[in-house]
Amino acid sequence: MEQRDVIVIGAGPSGSIAAALLRKRGWDVLVLEGQRFPRFSIGESLLPHCMDFVAEAGMLEAVESVGFQFKNGAAFVRGDAYGDFDFSQKFGDGRDSTFQVARATFDKVLADEAEKQGAEIRYETRVTAVDVSGDKPRVRAVDVQGKEYEVEGKFLLDASGFARVLPKLLDLETPSPFAPRNAVFTQVADGSEPDAFDRNKVQIIVHPEHRDVWYWLIPFNDGRCSIGCAATPEFMSKYPEQLDDRLKQLIAEEPFMKRVLEKAVWDTPVRGMAGYSANVKSMHGKGFALLGNAAEFLDPIFSSGITIAMRSSSMAASLLDRQLRGETVDWTNEFEVPLRKGVDTFRTYVKAWYDGRFQDIMFAKNQPAGIRGMICSILAGYAWDESNPFVAEPERRLDMVAKLCAA
């Protein structure tokens, strides 16, 4: 039986960050990744808080050297109304900028850096079974040649993202509180003029007739961008079944997207994702913990997924280091409860987006003084900073300000 200190399922951002942080503390780490990198992945717009964990893992120089698209904020468009946030004007401390990245390149950079720091990554290796009943968790894996083997570790971290390996194998899944939504998306050579829109900001665009239907446009540094649309299954069912035709028709309905993408070259197949929101009964158990999207995914509207994933990796690596050195760790009160605090803050904002309150605030002409900086801090990823009133009391504050803006 192969023995390792820590087994990580998945080499995406959360898995690579966790592996690097554990290697820095001297632990033997094996990462089992189902795909071969580079590979396509959605979620290309990072938040500034992400860079705190990239730096902590010793990967910042490698990421900065690639030349990814600079990002300093977020812009919102609804018809003729436009509003944007500049991260330099946020409430509190923290980074003011980040990047918009093609995930195929970004994820490989992180994984390569984790390997340079001593983590072993086995690509094209699927985890088919897990046993956590014994003293140590045991994983059964199958490599690309079909060879099956088992590995035993002192602890297991699931960073498998939307594959959600442990939630499926250990029956941890539970319904998300959000209504099901689908997304269609791709990457194109946008062909837009330099002044067509602010390429330093992710663009969030509201459908001209349906406030709960929205588009994203995430520009890259090479004249390309990620585009997509998110809506309910019922809304999507009114459009062509063929995904390329569906997304093109959706974009043709929205003036901003239609204008910006008028000369776009559609050179990448359109992909779809159905019912993407997910949750779990618990983020940890005997001998294991869940990181990032493997635990819970809210919604892509505020690009919170990678931030939550990286923060969970940082927290788990620190706690696991203590546990492996013989300390007693309370995974509920030291990991799940504080992690969910920020997740719940993001959850409140996702809810407020779809029920209209956030949009009422965003596009209001009479916004109360000071609230933009506090909201901007959350949009930058700092959803755990309880000195921010919109983190400490997100529901009450949002409701109060939405009513003031509507008055």
Side-chain angles (χ1 to χ4, degrees):
M1 177 69 64
E2 183 179 1
Q3 301 286 330
R4 310 301 287 256
D5 288 335
V6 183
I7 304 168
V8 180
I9 304 174
S14 60
S16 293
I17 294 287
L21 293 176
L22 288 164
R23 281 298 304 141
K24 284 179 176 294
R25 293 166 168 86
W27 300 108
D28 174 36
V29 182
L30 172 65
V31 182
L32 304 176
E33 166 57 48
Q35 296 180 284
R36 168 61 56 181
F37 282 20
R39 52 86 175 97
F40 178 90
S41 182
I42 198 69
E44 302 100 336
S45 191
L46 307 181
L47 303 185
H49 193 27
C50 292
M51 309 316 295
D52 295 324
F53 306 113
V54 172
E56 182 187 7
M59 301 176 177
L60 186 58
E61 183 177 351
V63 169
E64 291 178 336
S65 69
V66 177
F68 291 120
Q69 172 65 48
F70 177 78
K71 175 185 174 183
N72 64 6
F76 296 85
V77 180
R78 189 176 71 189
D80 295 331
Y82 176 88
D84 61 15
F85 288 93
D86 187 317
F87 293 141
S88 67
Q89 299 172 8
K90 70 183 183 309
F91 171 92
D93 298 327
R95 297 175 185 266
D96 295 340
S97 65
T98 183
F99 299 105
Q100 293 169 156
V101 300
R103 286 283 303 280
T105 302
F106 178 72
D107 289 11
K108 190 173 189 307
V109 169
L110 298 190
D112 288 350
E113 288 301 302
E115 284 188 305
K116 289 177 184 178
Q117 295 185 35
E120 180 185 355
I121 302 179
R122 296 178 187 170
Y123 291 100
E124 298 179 283
T125 300
R126 294 181 299 108
V127 172
T128 59
V130 171
D131 183 357
V132 293
S133 63
D135 293 335
K136 298 179 181 179
R138 182 175 297 181
V139 170
R140 183 180 303 151
V142 179
D143 65 20
V144 67
Q145 283 83 31
K147 178 183 176 182
E148 188 175 64
Y149 60 92
E150 291 189 343
V151 186
E152 192 173 72
K154 297 174 183 176
F155 204 85
L156 176 61
L157 293 174
D158 185 358
S160 61
F162 288 114
R164 299 174 61 77
V165 172
L166 288 191
K168 292 177 180 177
L169 292 176
L170 300 180
D171 190 28
L172 298 173
E173 294 188 297
T174 191
S176 169
F178 291 121
R181 285 186 171 83
N182 296 353
V184 286
F185 47 86
T186 190
Q187 294 177 359
V188 299
D190 56 84
S192 60
E193 298 298 325
D195 60 349
F197 67 100
D198 187 348
R199 297 191 77 93
N200 293 332
K201 293 178 175 62
V202 58
Q203 308 287 314
I204 304 298
I205 305 98
V206 183
H207 189 279
E209 298 179 11
H210 305 274
R211 293 212 305 177
D212 64 337
V213 178
W214 61 277
Y215 306 79
W216 71 80
L217 190 152
I218 303 171
F220 301 142
N221 66 335
D222 56 358
R224 298 183 63 80
C225 62
S226 168
I227 59 174
C229 181
T232 64
E234 294 76 19
F235 183 87
M236 288 290 191
S237 68
K238 302 173 185 177
Y239 292 80
E241 186 174 349
Q242 211 284 330
L243 295 183
D244 287 76
D245 295 337
R246 176 178 295 185
L247 184 54
K248 288 179 180 179
Q249 185 172 328
L250 283 162
I251 285 174
E253 293 179 359
E254 202 294 310
F256 177 90
M257 295 288 283
K258 182 180 180 180
R259 173 179 62 82
V260 170
L261 299 174
E262 182 179 8
K263 299 178 181 178
V265 177
W266 294 65
D267 54 7
T268 305
V270 175
R271 294 172 167 86
M273 183 179 294
Y276 45 71
S277 297
N279 204 349
V280 289
K281 300 170 187 174
S282 176
M283 292 182 172
H284 67 93
K286 181 184 177 184
F288 72 88
L290 309 178
L291 307 179
N293 295 349
E296 180 170 9
F297 182 73
L298 300 172
D299 191 275
I301 180 62
F302 296 122
S303 304
S304 61
I306 296 183
T307 301
I308 294 169
M310 289 184 173
R311 188 175 180 100
S312 68
S313 296
S314 176
M315 294 172 65
S318 178
L319 293 173
L320 184 51
D321 175 61
R322 287 172 43 202
Q323 180 169 303
L324 293 175
R325 296 184 187 281
E327 292 187 37
T328 298
V329 171
D330 183 343
W331 283 89
T332 296
N333 291 310
E334 295 183 74
F335 178 72
E336 180 157 0
V337 170
L339 181 60
R340 283 195 184 275
K341 174 61 181 176
V343 174
D344 288 344
T345 299
F346 280 124
R347 187 196 320 281
T348 301
Y349 279 77
V350 171
K351 177 184 174 184
W353 172 266
Y354 286 110
D355 67 25
R357 287 177 297 163
F358 183 90
Q359 294 184 41
D360 290 342
I361 296 170
M362 180 69 249
F363 298 113
K365 296 180 180 180
N366 58 333
Q367 295 172 353
I371 66 103
R372 286 183 61 82
M374 297 177 188
I375 293 176
C376 184
S377 180
I378 295 163
L379 297 182
Y382 295 99
W384 290 264
D385 178 11
E386 294 195 60
S387 68
N388 184 346
F390 279 76
V391 172
E393 300 177 305
E395 183 68 38
R396 189 176 77 85
R397 295 281 177 168
L398 270 172
D399 196 49
M400 176 182 68
V401 173
K403 289 177 180 177
L404 287 172
C405 289

